[in-house]
Amino acid sequence: MKWIIDRIENGTAICEIEDCGTIDVILKALPKEVKEGDVLNISVDSTETENRKKKINKLMNDLFKD
């Protein structure tokens, strides 16, 4: 999915989402070098998602083990 930064106002990036309208994103959540007109490619990082799930499960197992 692609987001295009339409404008930046008061610490918020107003992004056009292809075929879906707009979304407001806190500027601090985006790379610091973004500017109006930039295109962001938004995708799921399956490897990182799986790593986080494993880490959380390990923490939960360690916390609740008998």
Side-chain angles (χ1 to χ4, degrees):
M1 177 182 301
K2 292 181 183 174
W3 295 1
I4 300 97
I5 299 179
D6 179 62
R7 63 189 181 280
I8 297 173
E9 300 175 343
N10 302 318
T12 301
I14 294 76
C15 302
E16 294 179 21
I17 302 172
E18 58 183 359
D19 303 325
C20 294
T22 63
I23 186 170
D24 295 355
V25 180
I26 297 170
L27 201 52
K28 290 181 181 180
L30 298 173
K32 65 181 179 180
E33 68 273 7
V34 298
K35 59 189 177 309
E36 293 176 0
D38 281 350
V39 176
L40 305 173
N41 287 309
I42 308 301
S43 63
V44 175
D45 184 335
S46 300
T47 302
E48 185 63 24
T49 299
E50 189 60 33
N51 288 341
R52 289 178 57 84
K53 284 180 183 179
K54 288 177 183 177
K55 181 178 178 182
I56 290 168
N57 282 334
K58 183 182 180 325
L59 289 170
M60 288 176 39
N61 287 337
D62 289 348
L63 183 63
F64 295 111
K65 67 181 169 182
D66 297 333

